[in-house]
Amino acid sequence: IGSHVIVVVYVDDCLLYAKEDKYIEDLLVKLRERKVQINRENSAEGFLGVDVSYSDTDSITLPCNFYDHCIVT
């Protein structure tokens, strides 16, 4: 969403990623202003029941345990 936040959506689960937490906070405020019910977790671990890996190149990887392909950003 925009140039600061990446959103991965699967049905009713969302994974938000940004280099700075303030961008995620700003998005959550805007969503709540539009009456979107959203709960924030402290980490991405367990998103859709998979482990999230972080690399030194600012990328994240969701392994392919249950899916045909991986999502790599």
Side-chain angles (χ1 to χ4, degrees), residues 10-28:
Y10 183 79
V11 184
D12 64 347
D13 291 319
C14 298
L15 177 64
L16 306 176
Y17 178 80
K19 287 187 178 184
E20 296 182 45
D21 197 46
K22 69 178 183 174
Y23 298 121
I24 293 174
E25 289 299 327
D26 291 345
L27 176 59
L28 293 176

Side-chain angles (χ1 to χ4, degrees), residues 3-67:
S3 60
H4 297 290
V5 181
I6 297 169
V7 180
V8 178
V9 179
Y10 183 79
V11 184
D12 64 347
D13 291 319
C14 298
L15 177 64
L16 306 176
Y17 178 80
K19 287 187 178 184
E20 296 182 45
D21 197 46
K22 69 178 183 174
Y23 298 121
I24 293 174
E25 289 299 327
D26 291 345
L27 176 59
L28 293 176
V29 167
K30 290 176 183 177
L31 290 171
R32 288 183 179 123
E33 286 173 353
R34 293 178 178 238
K35 307 296 185 210
V36 174
Q37 294 180 359
I38 190 164
N39 297 318
R40 181 171 184 175
E41 301 291 332
N42 290 330
S43 70
E45 294 176 9
F47 175 70
L48 299 178
V50 298
D51 296 321
V52 177
S53 302
Y54 299 90
S55 74
D56 295 337
T57 60
D58 292 330
S59 65
I60 58 173
T61 304
L62 302 177
C64 303
N65 295 343
F66 303 105
Y67 308 101

